[in-house]
Amino acid sequence: MRKLALSDDILLKIEKPARYLGNEYNAVYKDPASVDIRFAMCFPDVYEIGMSYLGIQIIYDMLNKREDVYCERLYSPWMDLDAVMRERNIPLFALESQDPVKDFDFLAMTLQYEMCYTNVLQILDLSQIPLKASERTLEHPFVIGGGPCAYNPEPLADFFDIFYIGEGETVYYELMDCYKAWKKRGGSREEFLKEAAKIPGLYVPSLYKVSYYPDGRIESFEPLAEDVPKKVEKQVVTDLSHTYYPSNPVVPFIKVTQDRVVLEIQRGCIRGCRFCQAGNVYRPNRERDLEFLKKYARDMLLSTGHEEISLSSLSSSDYSRLEELTTYLIEEFGKKMKVNISLPSLRIDAFSLDVMRQVQDVKKSSLTFAPEAGSQRMRDVINKGLTEEDIFSGAMEAFNGGWNRVKLYFMLGLPGETMEDIEGIAKLSNDIAALYYTIPKDKRPGARVDVVSSTSFFVPKPFTPFQWVAQNTTEEFREKQRFLSHKMKDQLNRKSMRYNWHDFDLTALEGFLARGDRKVGEVILGAYKKGCMFDSWSEYFYYDRWVEAMNEAGIDPAFYTGRVREYDEILPWDFIDAGVTKEFLWREYEQSQKELVTPNCRMQCSGCGCRVYEGGVCFEGEN
């Protein structure tokens, strides 16, 4: 019988002990003594969030296909267990073997959002691994960071040995082979990191030096040796239909955020929204073959027993064979097995609504639109590619199709925004509600319509055309939110409208971390030492502690958030080649100031630079 890392008395007094037991259906078990490499894959947030993430399932499956590697999982212990582990000096452990992570060869963490940065330090601290990479020895695992936030790794540079820039299926095998060769011949930790840095897509922060101007801007960013690359190139899977994908994903014993089979139908996006980091760094848009998707849909449903399958992508409507795929899923699994089919990220049009009517219980669901801005002018500025006519026709299609609940997502604080644009959010929400009441009473799906409008606050992100702009201050955000709240109450259909908004201080911190440099690491460490963890959870978010840490580090957050950058300024992430060129991003920034729309990738190539990957939408229609 497996020995658990936690005793019964601990398990009986903590919330949801199943988070820490492992032994889930489809989990992989190997004899640790029979492998050459032990690899811990971590999502630095609570189990329910981490188990919903497809990326870890892919890498877990891929690495465990190798007989010489044993990949295990771990997640952030919730606050109750965190306190017990510190009190009793229990080292953090992997779920499968229950062995301490500090005894592994690698600890890899996915960085999905900036608010998990203090949890990165929690993982290291509870694992009894030195927080700073410079203090680790041959006795400690190599710590790797990847995921979307790795496209600006500098705020976390002090804490990671290696950052993986790009998609996980590409060079992990090469890194494992490099490690085995190094281990066999012996050598220092620094020697392995130098060898790892030669692998495309791997960034080793300790092998680079940053210098600053007196005003805080970066003066230079250079490798410390000639054989260390000046540019780190993003790694991309060009053929998504002949790569790794889990047929037998791990099934959690407790309810998690995404308690379903996830079928990734494509990567990337053709749309080119200027605020969207994912739409830029995941370029080019690449589709999976229909037969691949059919096979894995069947395999995963049969191997897990899940009763729902979700089609994952940034813009599902743009998958060229969506109609064929959804028809197959409905016929094979919806009707025969009563499996629910979830279609997120759809553009609301007649086809999408027809599909959704077939796969959803209309009475229990709401439809989501993301106009992002209240005026057509602002939608052109951000290159949303959505007209007012599109929005109204989609809403009317929805109402006639049986829906009477609509969610609308907008952003406040977009570059060039005016109060008139903000008022447009209230007017658009009101107009959509008014449309509902133009339908004869006997043909409406309900007595009233429910229009829920939500606003997040715009945060400029690396590798977007808006990476150079100033972010609104908290005071500006608050003023805009109050203005919009009043305008919502002034509308004729206000009783059919609701308004929600994002947290001001959380947005300020996200903006600070998103475009930070290496000096920001001192603030993250200071905040963690003051007790900051689970910052994305409102009940554990203490912005005052972050402000204290900034003050103690002598860092003004406005330098990172409230300042316009010039084109020739060295940005902290400029050493990364993400495919999209800096010239293209600047050109798009200029297009936004002229309120000009750039056609999507299927309509016309915009010359972003991603043809270098020789795949995907860039080569559609070519022989």
Side-chain angles (χ1 to χ4, degrees):
M1 188 175 176
R2 237 174 23 122
K3 186 178 186 303
L4 297 176
L6 301 176
S7 59
D8 288 351
D9 71 304
I10 295 174
L11 292 169
L12 287 169
K13 72 178 183 181
I14 60 173
E15 183 184 348
K16 298 182 182 178
R19 289 167 171 162
Y20 315 107
L21 298 177
N23 214 31
E24 304 103 321
Y25 193 66
N26 289 339
V28 176
Y29 292 92
K30 299 183 180 182
D31 176 5
S34 71
V35 299
D36 299 314
I37 300 172
R38 299 195 68 182
F39 192 102
M41 191 72 224
C42 172
F43 194 105
D45 207 326
V46 73
Y47 178 90
E48 292 92 314
I49 303 294
M51 274 296 289
S52 303
Y53 174 58
L54 176 63
I56 283 184
Q57 295 267 18
I58 291 174
I59 294 171
Y60 179 81
D61 180 76
M62 178 187 80
L63 289 178
N64 278 320
K65 279 184 164 56
R66 287 183 57 143
E67 292 184 2
D68 57 350
V69 178
Y70 186 11
C71 180
E72 304 181 49
R73 297 163 297 122
L74 69 148
Y75 306 93
S76 284
W78 192 239
M79 297 297 268
D80 53 355
L81 180 59
D82 177 283
V84 173
M85 294 180 77
R86 292 174 194 275
E87 179 187 336
R88 302 197 187 183
N89 198 33
I90 301 169
L92 188 57
F93 51 91
L95 292 185
E96 281 78 2
S97 65
Q98 300 279 300
D99 289 341
V101 173
K102 65 181 178 181
D103 297 334
F104 282 51
D105 300 292
F106 290 95
L107 167 59
M109 297 191 226
T110 183
L111 308 169
Q112 290 295 307
Y113 32 81
E114 290 83 2
M115 295 303 106
C116 75
Y117 287 1
T118 49
N119 278 63
V120 166
L121 300 188
Q122 177 211 26
I123 295 290
L124 293 172
D125 203 5
L126 290 179
S127 298
Q128 301 173 6
I129 298 169
L131 299 184
K132 292 198 172 182
S134 60
E135 297 171 4
R136 294 174 200 142
T137 69
L138 287 171
E139 301 301 312
H140 302 112
F142 290 98
V143 182
I144 305 174
C149 288
Y151 284 97
N152 178 21
E154 290 303 276
L156 294 170
D158 288 345
F159 313 118
F160 283 89
D161 298 296
I162 302 169
F163 285 96
Y164 188 118
I165 312 298
E167 296 171 347
E169 302 95 324
T170 50
V171 298
Y172 261 128
Y173 275 16
E174 194 173 342
L175 180 63
M176 298 300 100
D177 293 338
C178 176
Y179 178 81
K180 283 178 68 176
W182 166 79
K183 193 81 171 176
K184 186 176 181 179
R185 68 175 178 267
S188 68
R189 193 176 178 90
E190 292 71 25
E191 285 171 337
F192 171 71
L193 292 174
K194 285 179 181 177
E195 289 300 308
K198 296 174 185 176
I199 299 173
L202 298 188
Y203 166 54
V204 179
S206 62
L207 300 181
Y208 295 79
K209 181 183 179 183
V210 192
S211 58
Y212 301 89
Y213 290 113
D215 64 2
R217 292 177 300 124
I218 294 173
E219 180 179 10
S220 66
F221 186 97
E222 298 291 337
L224 292 171
E226 288 185 5
D227 56 350
V228 176
K230 286 194 170 186
K231 280 270 187 182
V232 179
E233 297 178 356
K234 173 184 81 173
Q235 298 302 292
V236 166
V237 180
T238 53
D239 182 359
L240 283 176
S241 299
H242 296 89
T243 185
Y244 306 98
Y245 204 79
S247 296
N248 306 288
V250 181
V251 182
F253 282 138
I254 60 173
K255 186 170 179 58
V256 298
T257 309
Q258 305 288 336
D259 208 359
R260 58 185 72 113
V261 160
V262 179
L263 188 65
E264 185 189 40
I265 60 176
Q266 61 183 0
R267 280 187 198 163
C269 184
I270 64 171
R271 295 290 159 183
C273 297
R274 292 176 179 134
F275 58 84
C276 181
Q277 184 186 49
N280 283 289
V281 299
Y282 295 147
R283 290 188 178 207
N285 180 255
R286 291 146 289 148
E287 296 188 348
R288 294 190 193 270
D289 288 346
L290 185 60
E291 294 308 312
F292 177 99
L293 295 173
K294 287 180 179 180
K295 176 190 182 304
Y296 278 92
R298 178 173 292 280
D299 289 351
M300 289 191 293
L301 285 169
L302 293 177
S303 70
T304 63
H306 278 303
E307 297 176 343
E308 182 172 346
I309 184 167
S310 176
L311 305 188
S312 170
S313 90
L314 292 174
S315 179
S316 299
S317 300
D318 294 321
Y319 179 63
S320 62
R321 303 188 72 178
L322 184 63
E323 185 169 6
E324 295 167 82
L325 177 60
T326 51
T327 300
Y328 170 80
L329 294 175
I330 290 166
E331 292 297 323
E332 289 295 313
F333 309 115
K335 293 179 180 178
K336 295 179 183 177
M337 298 167 59
K338 305 301 180 188
V339 169
N340 185 44
I341 298 155
S342 172
L343 291 152
S345 307
L346 282 177
R347 295 170 75 84
I348 305 302
D349 54 26
F351 163 68
S352 301
L353 292 167
D354 182 55
V355 171
M356 291 175 77
R357 269 193 297 271
Q358 295 180 62
V359 302
Q360 286 190 15
D361 181 346
V362 171
K363 292 179 181 177
K364 294 182 180 178
S365 67
S366 60
L367 274 182
T368 300
F369 294 78
E372 309 293 0
S375 70
Q376 191 58 50
R377 185 189 78 83
M378 277 310 301
R379 285 192 291 276
D380 291 345
V381 167
I382 64 177
N383 207 46
K384 180 62 183 175
L386 194 64
T387 66
E388 200 166 82
E389 184 182 346
D390 296 331
I391 296 167
F392 289 152
S393 64
M396 204 62 183
E397 288 269 5
F399 297 149
N400 286 324
W403 280 271
N404 68 332
R405 282 181 285 178
V406 174
K407 294 179 182 177
L408 302 173
Y409 287 108
F410 300 94
M411 281 186 286
L412 289 177
L414 288 163
E417 179 182 73
T418 66
M419 288 304 189
E420 188 177 348
D421 297 317
I422 296 171
E423 186 176 357
I425 295 173
K427 288 180 176 178
L428 185 62
S429 304
N430 179 74
D431 290 345
I432 288 173
L435 269 180
Y436 184 82
Y437 296 114
T438 65
I439 302 172
K441 284 187 177 181
D442 60 331
K443 294 184 179 178
R444 294 175 195 166
R448 284 177 54 177
V449 69
D450 187 18
V451 178
V452 182
S453 298
S454 300
T455 55
S456 60
F457 298 117
F458 169 68
V459 175
K461 292 292 177 86
F463 294 106
T464 69
F466 293 147
Q467 64 182 359
W468 291 278
V469 307
Q471 181 176 320
N472 282 187
T473 63
T474 299
E475 292 70 28
E476 288 170 329
F477 281 138
R478 187 173 281 112
E479 180 189 351
K480 291 178 177 183
Q481 181 275 317
R482 285 174 180 163
F483 174 80
L484 178 55
S485 189
H486 286 304
K487 290 298 178 183
M488 287 285 192
K489 293 170 184 174
D490 289 343
Q491 300 305 309
L492 185 64
N493 292 290
R494 58 187 173 276
K495 290 185 178 179
S496 298
M497 297 159 52
R498 287 184 287 154
Y499 173 44
N500 303 318
W501 59 91
H502 201 53
D503 184 273
F504 302 107
D505 291 334
L506 200 69
T507 303
L509 180 59
E510 182 184 345
F512 170 68
L513 297 174
R515 291 190 290 176
D517 54 26
R518 287 197 183 189
K519 291 182 285 186
V520 166
E522 189 178 348
V523 178
I524 298 169
L525 181 58
Y528 172 69
K529 288 181 176 178
K530 293 177 183 296
C532 290
M533 284 185 291
F534 293 102
D535 295 298
S536 60
W537 297 76
S538 57
E539 64 266 42
Y540 293 113
F541 179 53
Y542 304 105
Y543 188 57
D544 55 334
R545 298 180 188 178
W546 278 95
V547 172
E548 286 176 17
M550 292 173 194
N551 291 336
E552 289 170 9
I555 286 180
D556 179 6
F559 175 79
Y560 299 95
T561 58
R563 179 174 70 84
V564 176
R565 281 80 165 158
E566 299 299 325
Y567 176 75
D568 58 359
E569 178 176 340
I570 297 175
L571 303 175
W573 52 90
D574 272 351
F575 69 93
I576 295 173
D577 179 357
V580 287
T581 64
K582 197 170 183 179
E583 293 77 16
F584 164 74
L585 295 174
W586 183 261
R587 191 164 68 243
E588 281 294 288
Y589 177 36
E590 292 179 321
Q591 289 284 85
S592 76
Q593 294 174 312
K594 298 172 186 174
E595 300 171 15
L596 295 175
V597 173
T598 299
N600 72 59
C601 296
R602 283 212 172 98
M603 294 173 64
Q604 178 185 312
C605 178
S606 57
C608 72
C610 286
R611 278 184 69 89
V612 296
Y613 298 116
E614 300 183 349
V617 69
C618 305
F619 291 84
E620 281 182 6
E622 295 187 13
N623 293 326

